[in-house]
Amino acid sequence: MKKLIAGNWKMNGLASSLAEIVALKGLTGSTACDIVVCPPFTLIDRAVDQVEETNISIGAQDCHAKVSGAYTGDVSAEMLADAGARYVIVGHSERRLDHGEDDEIVAAKTAAVHQAGLIAIVCVGETQSERNEGRAIEVVGEQLRGSIPAGATASNTAIAYEPVWAIGTGLVPTLEQIAEVHLSIRRLLVDALGADGRTVRILYGGSVKASNAGEIFSVANVDGALVGGASLKATDFAGIISAAG
Ligand code: 13P
């Protein structure tokens, strides 16, 4: 399966940061991976201008579930498509925890992404206390079942397993823990989507960097990465992309 390497810039990036996308083009021209950079909304259309005719796509970090209306401050998937984005991250733990987004909201947003003809990267992951209680697989399964709408396919959906405790902490699950959760996600996807579930890409996210990416990519059912901090600098991000082959 072609790997998908996505960078989530979170609330980082000014016009000057577009130079990182320009640099990334020079560093990743020959890769076989699909590469996505998700800058803040304010940079999307300018970022799109930079990646024409390259293997890099631009994504967004969130969207509203509705197409338009009286939702001050929100951005719809249709608007993101109009700006030239191709991917949208939905259900990131920073949205689930800081903005009270539950599985129902995430499923509605994912459906909106599909409706707009874009690809959803749907995030799931357990907290430290849920893992300590031995509930990681159960929590991730429940989130996944609740967050994937009817109409999800391998072409319009990727899943990102991001343990909350591994995000921005430098902590990474063992390869066995990653393998166990990714296998459980694969089984659930096959149950829910049939044969298509076999080729939905399952990304790992949480403290991925160039030095640990190779071993993470060697784990069964790891089909790419969702990268935060190490996606901000082109050289760091390119190191992760080259580890994916
Ligand atoms: P870090 O790579 O900074 O741990 O962030 C992961 C993440 O949340 C990507 O969405």
Side-chain angles (χ1 to χ4, degrees):
M1 211 173 333
K2 199 173 181 185
K3 287 207 168 31
L4 171 60
I5 314 296
N8 174 9
W9 283 13
K10 308 192 178 184
M11 198 172 73
N12 297 290
L14 301 173
S16 56
S17 315
L18 293 167
E20 297 300 329
I21 295 177
V22 175
L24 191 64
K25 288 194 284 192
L27 294 168
T28 59
S30 60
T31 180
C33 305
D34 289 329
I35 303 168
V36 186
V37 176
C38 302
F41 291 137
T42 48
L43 292 178
I44 286 177
D45 59 353
R46 282 175 285 174
V48 167
D49 288 343
Q50 297 297 338
V51 299
E52 270 174 31
E53 319 259 311
T54 71
N55 54 355
I56 304 172
S57 300
I58 300 302
Q61 301 168 20
D62 180 41
C63 68
H64 195 275
K66 296 272 168 52
V67 173
S68 61
Y71 303 101
T72 301
D74 279 312
V75 174
S76 73
E78 186 183 59
M79 292 168 178
L80 296 170
D82 187 53
R86 293 201 46 222
Y87 291 77
V88 186
I89 297 169
V90 284
H92 192 282
S93 60
E94 288 151 18
R95 302 292 316 173
R96 290 180 184 264
L97 297 171
D98 301 346
H99 297 267
E101 295 189 7
D102 60 13
D103 294 339
E104 198 178 331
I105 292 173
V106 176
K109 290 185 173 196
T110 304
V113 172
H114 296 161
Q115 190 65 36
L118 303 179
I119 301 168
I121 301 176
V122 181
C123 303
V124 293
E126 82 285 359
T127 62
Q128 182 75 73
S129 60
E130 289 164 340
R131 175 156 288 276
N132 293 347
E133 290 159 14
R135 297 177 52 229
I137 301 281
E138 174 197 332
V139 166
V140 165
E142 193 181 327
Q143 285 179 343
L144 194 61
R145 272 189 294 271
S147 302
I148 303 271
T153 66
S155 325
N156 66 16
T157 306
I159 306 301
Y161 167 55
E162 298 206 307
V164 177
W165 52 274
I167 294 176
T169 58
L171 299 173
V172 180
T174 64
L175 299 184
E176 291 72 23
Q177 287 171 327
I178 295 174
E180 185 188 27
V181 177
H182 278 239
L183 177 61
S184 75
I185 292 173
R186 175 67 67 212
R187 288 188 171 141
L188 210 145
L189 288 169
V190 172
D191 269 359
L193 309 177
D196 231 34
R198 283 187 230 289
T199 53
V200 171
R201 289 183 286 190
I202 308 173
L203 318 183
Y204 169 76
S207 298
V208 177
K209 42 189 191 280
S211 58
N212 63 15
E215 58 179 23
I216 292 171
F217 292 143
S218 73
V219 174
N221 293 303
V222 173
D223 310 308
L226 181 56
V227 184
S231 71
L232 295 172
K233 289 270 165 274
T235 44
D236 295 342
F237 197 38
I240 293 169
I241 292 162
S242 70

